[in-house]
Amino acid sequence: MHLPVSGVACRPAASRLIVRHRTGEAGVDYGDKLFWLSVVIQRKYAQICAEFDLTPSQATLICAVRNEPRQMADLAASLGMTKNALSQLVDRTARRELVGRSSSAQDRRVVMLSATPTGKVLGDAIFAEVAKRLPEIARNLDAGDQRDFERVATAIVDTSDLSAPTSNQPITP
């Protein structure tokens, strides 16, 4: 039996966990709160991506290369993906004529990824929509808490090393 919880079907044990989390019952620790925050962010991001008929991985790829070409190896490291997984993602996105590959002018062995003109327009639109709507996750906070949330989120991103994966286990989309 699956019970809907905020538009998500989940098993009864999981729904009890979500309900316990939402009611502030004792035993929910900081790590658990961060886990659920990541779920909230991912769900909102996925909703936005779906409105553009893209997977979150495709939208992330397009946004990452929308302003300038990036080396495929560097992009894979930044996104925490294997080169093979990124290559498959690029293949799927390139079939839609949103990104393209080329060789580096400096080293022909280096593969560069860039947005096509259509991909650039779409990437800019996705980026603008995310910037506009993702802050909605804090809409129930008072104005001071919203400013604090923005400040802390900015500090976390600004002090994070996004140039390489945080573990030796790259993710696959």
Side-chain angles (χ1 to χ4, degrees):
M1 177 177 157
H2 295 285
L3 300 173
V5 177
S6 297
V8 175
C10 52
R11 299 186 194 294
S15 65
R16 283 191 300 277
L17 175 63
I18 292 168
V19 170
R20 184 169 59 241
H21 161 73
R22 290 195 175 150
T23 60
E25 187 174 307
V28 179
D29 64 5
Y30 180 60
D32 192 51
K33 298 286 187 182
L34 291 175
F35 167 78
W36 287 110
L37 177 60
S38 75
V39 170
V40 169
I41 292 169
Q42 290 174 56
R43 284 179 56 192
K44 177 64 86 173
Y45 184 64
Q47 290 168 353
I48 294 166
C49 296
E51 291 170 13
F52 288 94
D53 193 31
L54 294 170
T55 66
S57 295
Q58 289 171 324
T60 299
L61 173 63
I62 294 165
C63 287
V65 300
R66 77 186 197 287
N67 289 328
E68 63 184 344
R70 304 259 321 251
Q71 287 186 18
M72 190 155 168
D74 292 346
L75 187 57
S78 293
L79 298 177
M81 299 175 74
T82 64
K83 291 177 190 175
N84 184 48
L86 179 58
S87 183
Q88 291 174 16
L89 175 60
V90 170
D91 289 345
R92 290 190 305 271
T93 311
R95 280 193 291 273
R96 295 184 62 183
E97 300 180 359
L98 300 174
V99 297
R101 291 181 175 98
S102 62
S103 296
S104 168
Q106 293 79 21
D107 185 344
R108 298 200 50 80
R109 296 170 296 176
V110 175
V111 177
M112 302 297 293
L113 298 175
S114 58
T116 64
T118 302
K120 165 81 170 123
V121 169
L122 187 59
D124 287 344
I126 294 164
F127 200 82
E129 198 64 21
V130 166
K132 177 178 133 191
R133 291 180 35 205
L134 203 54
E136 292 173 2
I137 66 169
R139 72 181 173 274
N140 293 328
L141 301 177
D142 66 39
D145 286 344
Q146 287 181 20
R147 284 189 300 277
D148 289 345
F149 184 74
E150 179 181 359
R151 180 185 54 76
V152 170
T154 299
I156 290 169
V157 171
D158 289 350
T159 59
S160 294
D161 181 8
L162 297 176
S163 62
T166 57
S167 74
N168 292 331
Q169 298 295 325
I171 58 169
T172 56

